[in-house]
Amino acid sequence: MTPDSGTRGKLRIAAAIAVAFLLAAFATTGPGQRLRSRLARTHATRSELDSARMTRLLSRSGELVVQPPSAETMAKPVDPRHVAPAGKCPELELAARPLTPAELPSSTSAPVPWRDAGPPLISLWLDPCRWARVHSRPSKPGRDTEETGWVSFFENGKLQFAAPVGIRIHGGVSRRYPPYGYRLSFRSEHGTTGLPGGLVSSDLDRPMPPLARLLVAEGDDEDTDGSLWAFPGEVAYDIGRALGGQTPRTRPVWFSLNGSPAAVYSISEHIDGDFLRRHYGHDDFELHRGKRDPDDPRQDSEASDRFWAGELAWIAAAPTPFTRADAASRYDLDKLTTWLVTVLFCGTGDIYQEAMIRDRTGKLASGRWTWIHWDHDMSFRTPPKNSRFGNTRDLLPYVLDNQREIRSPQQALMLRLVEEDPEFRTEIVRRTTAALNHQLTPEFLESLVAR
C-alpha cells in the first residue's frame, strides 16, 4: 500500500463514520422516522412515492400493483365527507407483489352458489367508501365518477380472470333508479390489458382481442303488463348481426356486487376507439354517437350539433327525386337497410341512437358514413307508462315518424328515399322477405332463446 492509498483509505473510513453519525442523527428526527417507516413497509400510496410519472410507468409495466385496502382501513366507518362529491376516499396502496387472482376481494367475496354454477359470474367489489361514492351520484357521467375496484370472472366453477378495474355507473334513463348498470375500464395503471375477448365472444373464426372497456347491465326489462323480457336489446343485437349489421358483442351473465346474491345481467362491448381497433384493426375513424347528452362532459355537444345539422342540411338540399344512387355516394345504404329491417322485426322503440362512423383510411364502406347498432333495449316490449305504437301496429310508419323533430340522418334519409325512390321501397321489401324466409328462421330464433 502506498502512502497515498493509505491516506485515501483513512479518509474513506472517516467519511463513512461521519455519514453514519449523520444518518443516526437524521433517524431521530421526524422526517427520518417517517422515511424509516416507509422503507420498512411493503406497501405505499401513490402520493407517498416521489415521482408520479415513475409510479405510472412502474404500474403499467407491472412492477407496482394496486392493492385492496387493509383490514385496518376496512374496519373504519365511512366518513360522510369522503362520500360528498368534493370528498376523497383513503388512498389505495401499491406494492411490488401482486395478489393472486384467487386472493383478490372480488374473488373471495363471490357468492358460492353462483360461483360454482355453470353460467358465467361477474363479481365486482368496491371498498365501502368507494361503493358509497359511486352510488351517491348515479346521474352524473364522466371519468371523475370512476372509482377503483376489483372484478372476477368465474365460469363452470373456475376463476377465469381477476384484476383491478375502474368502476362507474352507466346508462341513460336507467341511471334514475337501481339496479344500476356499470362501466368497467381496465386502465394501464391497473397493470392489465383488459378482459380477455374470449370471455365475451366465443367466435373462433374471429377471436376478439382484450376489452379495455366493458358494460354490465341488468338483463330483465319490464313490459306494461308487468311481465319480464330477458335480454331484449341483446337479442336485437344478435338479430341485427345475423342480417349483416355491426353490433356490440354481448353475453348473459350472473352479476354480484360486493358478495350480494347474483342477479341476471349481461356484459357487452362499448362503442369507442377501443371497439373500432378491436373490430377494424385501427381507430382512424370519425365517430358520432346517436345517443347524445348535452350534460355529458365526454361529448363536445357543439361539435356534435354541427355535425348532425350538416348531415341533415346535405340530405335536405339533395335534388328531387332523391334516389338510392344519390344517397349511396355519401352513406352505406346496405347497413342502413339492415338496421331498418332489424328494428321492424324487433319492434324497437326509442330508436335513432346508432353510432355513425366514417373510416378515414377509406377501407370500410369506401370511406362513406356507416352505422353501428346501439341501445335496442326497447325491443319486443313496451316499457311501463309508454305507448310505443300509438293507435297503430303498422311498424314502418311508426319507425319513419318516430321523432317529433327530425334530428337523425337515418330518419331523414329514409323519409326521403321511401317517398321519392320506388327502387328503395322495393329493396326494403326484398330484404325483409329474405330475412323472414331465410335468415331469421325458427331454428335461429330458438337458438337465441337457448343462449
Side-chain angles (χ1 to χ4, degrees):
M1 178 183 293
T2 64
D4 287 344
S5 64
T7 302
R8 286 196 296 269
K10 291 178 181 178
L11 290 174
R12 290 194 190 100
I13 293 172
I17 293 173
V19 169
F21 274 113
L22 288 172
L23 289 175
F26 177 71
T28 63
T29 65
Q33 291 175 343
R34 287 193 294 272
L35 176 61
R36 183 172 59 181
S37 174
R38 285 167 57 186
L39 291 174
R41 288 165 51 196
T42 59
H43 297 63
T45 63
R46 290 183 187 276
S47 61
E48 287 178 314
L49 300 172
D50 294 331
S51 171
R53 183 172 181 271
M54 183 60 68
T55 302
R56 286 195 299 270
L57 291 174
L58 290 172
S59 297
R60 289 170 181 170
S61 67
E63 298 296 327
L64 290 177
V65 182
V66 65
Q67 300 291 303
S70 64
E72 180 184 1
T73 300
M74 290 286 293
K76 295 178 180 178
V78 176
D79 188 334
R81 293 172 297 178
H82 293 157
V83 178
K88 187 177 182 181
C89 293
E91 283 191 271
L92 296 174
E93 295 187 331
L94 297 168
R97 185 190 78 84
L99 296 175
T100 65
E103 291 178 294
L104 294 179
S106 51
S107 300
T108 58
S109 67
V112 173
W114 295 274
R115 184 190 66 195
D116 294 339
L121 167 68
I122 289 278
S123 173
L124 280 189
W125 186 88
L126 285 156
D127 70 72
C129 180
R130 287 171 173 79
W131 186 96
R133 279 178 60 80
V134 164
H135 294 91
S136 70
R137 45 192 179 181
S139 298
K140 185 178 180 182
R143 172 76 183 272
D144 61 349
T145 66
E146 184 176 295
E147 300 289 348
T148 298
W150 279 262
V151 61
S152 296
F153 191 106
F154 292 84
E155 188 170 10
N156 296 319
K158 295 181 180 179
L159 178 60
Q160 304 290 342
F161 173 82
V165 67
I167 301 172
R168 70 175 95 162
I169 288 178
H170 177 87
V173 175
S174 60
R175 289 174 177 269
R176 298 176 183 173
Y177 42 80
Y180 298 115
Y182 300 90
R183 183 190 304 185
L184 310 185
S185 297
F186 298 90
R187 305 198 179 279
S188 57
E189 56 263 33
H190 296 143
T192 179
T193 56
L195 184 78
L199 297 180
V200 179
S201 173
S202 58
D203 188 346
L204 299 179
D205 295 328
R206 294 184 57 192
M208 185 185 293
L211 282 72
R213 272 164 292 282
L214 183 73
L215 301 184
V216 184
E218 186 190 16
D220 284 340
D221 288 288
E222 193 175 356
D223 207 330
T224 50
D225 62 2
S227 61
L228 293 180
W229 285 75
F231 311 112
E234 290 77 4
V235 170
Y237 283 162
D238 279 356
I239 288 171
R241 193 159 57 250
L243 297 178
Q246 180 64 277
T247 77
R249 299 283 179 156
T250 69
R251 191 177 186 188
V253 296
W254 291 112
F255 172 73
S256 172
L257 179 62
N258 282 24
S260 62
V264 177
Y265 270 62
S266 72
I267 55 176
S268 72
E269 299 178 273
H270 184 48
I271 299 177
D272 53 13
D274 180 58
F275 177 96
L276 298 173
R277 285 189 296 273
R278 214 164 36 249
H279 287 271
Y280 304 113
H282 69 94
D283 61 357
D284 191 10
F285 284 83
E286 188 173 349
L287 184 153
H288 294 275
R289 303 178 190 278
K291 188 167 187 174
R292 309 194 292 282
D293 182 357
D295 297 323
D296 189 340
R298 297 168 299 170
Q299 299 184 17
D300 184 341
S301 57
E302 292 185 3
S304 179
D305 289 343
R306 286 194 299 271
F307 166 75
W308 299 111
E311 295 305 305
L312 292 174
W314 187 92
I315 296 166
T320 303
F322 189 47
T323 66
R324 292 171 63 198
D326 297 327
S329 66
R330 189 175 181 87
Y331 301 103
D332 181 358
L333 293 190
D334 175 67
K335 288 294 186 286
L336 178 68
T337 307
T338 297
W339 172 85
L340 176 62
V341 176
T342 299
V343 298
L344 289 175
F345 182 86
C346 299
T348 307
D350 195 21
I351 51 181
Y352 300 119
Q353 302 192 71
E354 273 51 43
M356 283 185 69
I357 62 172
R358 184 178 68 83
D359 186 348
R360 294 190 181 98
T361 71
K363 294 180 181 178
L364 179 67
S366 301
R368 297 171 298 165
W369 288 105
T370 188
W371 288 269
I372 302 173
H373 295 201
W374 184 248
D375 202 6
H376 286 191
D377 61 323
M378 202 182 289
S379 294
F380 310 109
R381 66 188 182 92
T382 300
K385 301 180 182 179
N386 280 271
S387 177
R388 281 189 301 157
F389 305 111
N391 297 321
T392 178
R393 299 297 295 182
D394 191 339
L395 292 180
L396 183 58
Y398 165 77
V399 169
L400 296 179
D401 298 320
N402 177 270
Q403 306 295 318
R404 295 186 181 91
E405 177 186 2
I406 300 175
R407 301 178 60 224
S408 165
Q410 289 168 273
Q411 186 178 17
L413 280 168
M414 289 188 298
L415 282 170
R416 287 205 63 183
L417 289 171
V418 167
E419 184 174 345
E420 300 176 32
D421 188 358
E423 289 188 7
F424 186 73
R425 295 196 294 270
T426 300
E427 177 66 5
I428 292 174
V429 173
R430 185 190 71 79
R431 290 285 299 275
T432 304
T433 302
L436 294 174
N437 290 340
H438 305 292
Q439 294 170 295
L440 306 181
T441 61
E443 293 77 16
F444 169 76
L445 297 175
E446 287 170 5
S447 73
L448 295 186
V449 174
R451 188 170 87 90

